[in-house]
Amino acid sequence: MIQLKTQLTLEEFLALPEGDIIYELIDGEAVPKFKNDEMSPKFFHSSITGALFILLSAWAQGKGRVVIEWAIKLTRNQQDWVPVPDLTYISYNRLAADWLRDEACPVAPELVIEIISPGQSFGETTEKATDYLKAKVQRVWIIDTKAKTITIFYPDALPQTKRGTDSLEDSLFENLQITPQKIFQQAKIP
C-alpha cells in the first residue's frame, strides 16, 4: 500500500502512481474509495455498472462520453475535491469530442452515478450527491441494488426515487428512454 502524507495538493494527488486501490482526494487527503472489503464492489454493483455503461453509451453516441470510474476535478468546501464516481456522462458541449488526455476530468459533468456498495448507507451517498450538485454537476443518480431504485438528485428540485417501469426521462438527456427495470434486466439482477 502507498504511504501518503496528509494535505496533498491537487497536483500531488494527481501525480500519485496508479495501483490496485482507487483513491479520492477529500479535504486534502487521499482516501480509498472502498474503505474495506465489505465496501468493495460485488456482483450486483459490477453488473449494474456494466449495464449502465452499455445502455448509456448506446444513447450517448455522437453526444458525449460515458466513462467508468473516472476521477473528476471539482471543488468541495472551497478545497480541491477529486471524487471517482462509478459512472460519468459528460457531453461534447462541456468537454469536446477531440479532448483525449489521460488525466482526470477537468470540468463538472452533466451526470454522475453512484451505486451503493455493501457497507455504504443511502445517507452517506446522499451527502456525496449534495456535494456533487454544489460542485455544478447537473444530475446525480444513486442506485440501490437491494431496493432496485434510482434516486435522482437535481440542483433546483427535490430528489425523486424511480423504480420498476418509472421513466428516467429528463430534458437534460434528450431521447434517453430507460427505466430502472430495464437497467436491472440488462444487469440480469432478479
Side-chain angles (χ1 to χ4, degrees):
M1 182 187 280
I2 299 171
Q3 293 295 326
L4 303 173
K5 71 174 191 168
T6 58
Q7 298 304 304
L8 295 169
T9 66
L10 177 63
E11 293 75 24
E12 290 170 330
F13 174 78
L14 295 173
L16 290 174
E18 290 187 33
D20 293 340
I21 299 172
I22 297 170
Y23 289 93
E24 296 180 313
L25 180 64
I26 301 172
D27 298 328
E29 293 187 40
V31 177
K33 180 173 178 170
F34 304 108
K35 294 165 187 61
N36 57 48
D37 288 341
E38 186 180 322
M39 280 184 64
S40 65
K42 304 288 190 272
F43 177 72
F44 287 179
H45 185 286
S46 296
S47 295
I48 290 294
T49 301
L52 280 164
F53 181 77
I54 290 166
L55 293 168
L56 291 175
S57 291
W59 165 80
Q61 290 294 317
K63 296 178 179 106
R65 51 177 65 93
V66 178
V67 185
I68 297 171
E69 292 190 341
W70 187 21
I72 306 169
K73 294 184 213 175
L74 298 172
T75 303
R76 176 177 161 248
N77 301 326
Q78 299 167 342
Q79 289 189 318
D80 290 323
W81 177 42
V82 183
V84 182
D86 294 312
L87 283 114
T88 301
Y89 165 72
I90 187 163
S91 72
Y92 293 143
N93 293 332
R94 285 200 175 190
L95 192 61
D98 62 356
W99 185 92
L100 296 171
R101 298 184 193 143
D102 192 21
E103 59 187 56
C105 183
V107 296
E110 282 89 348
L111 172 67
V112 298
I113 300 172
E114 292 285 356
I115 302 164
I116 299 173
S117 296
Q120 271 184 319
S121 71
F122 182 79
E124 63 191 350
T125 312
T126 297
E127 286 180 38
K128 195 171 188 179
T130 301
D131 289 336
Y132 280 127
L133 294 174
K134 287 178 183 175
K136 307 295 185 219
V137 173
Q138 294 294 297
R139 298 290 184 277
V140 180
W141 293 1
I142 294 180
I143 301 181
D144 185 332
T145 60
K146 289 181 182 176
K148 292 189 183 172
T149 60
I150 299 175
T151 302
I152 304 170
F153 291 80
Y154 305 88
D156 54 358
L158 293 173
Q160 294 182 10
T161 299
K162 307 284 186 166
R163 60 181 41 89
T165 59
D166 292 343
S167 174
L168 297 179
E169 193 172 328
D170 188 319
S171 61
L172 190 62
F173 312 116
E174 192 174 322
N175 299 319
L176 176 62
Q177 297 179 1
I178 58 174
T179 65
Q181 181 179 47
K182 186 172 185 177
I183 293 166
F184 283 93
Q185 284 175 341
Q186 176 76 31
K188 296 182 177 34
I189 296 175

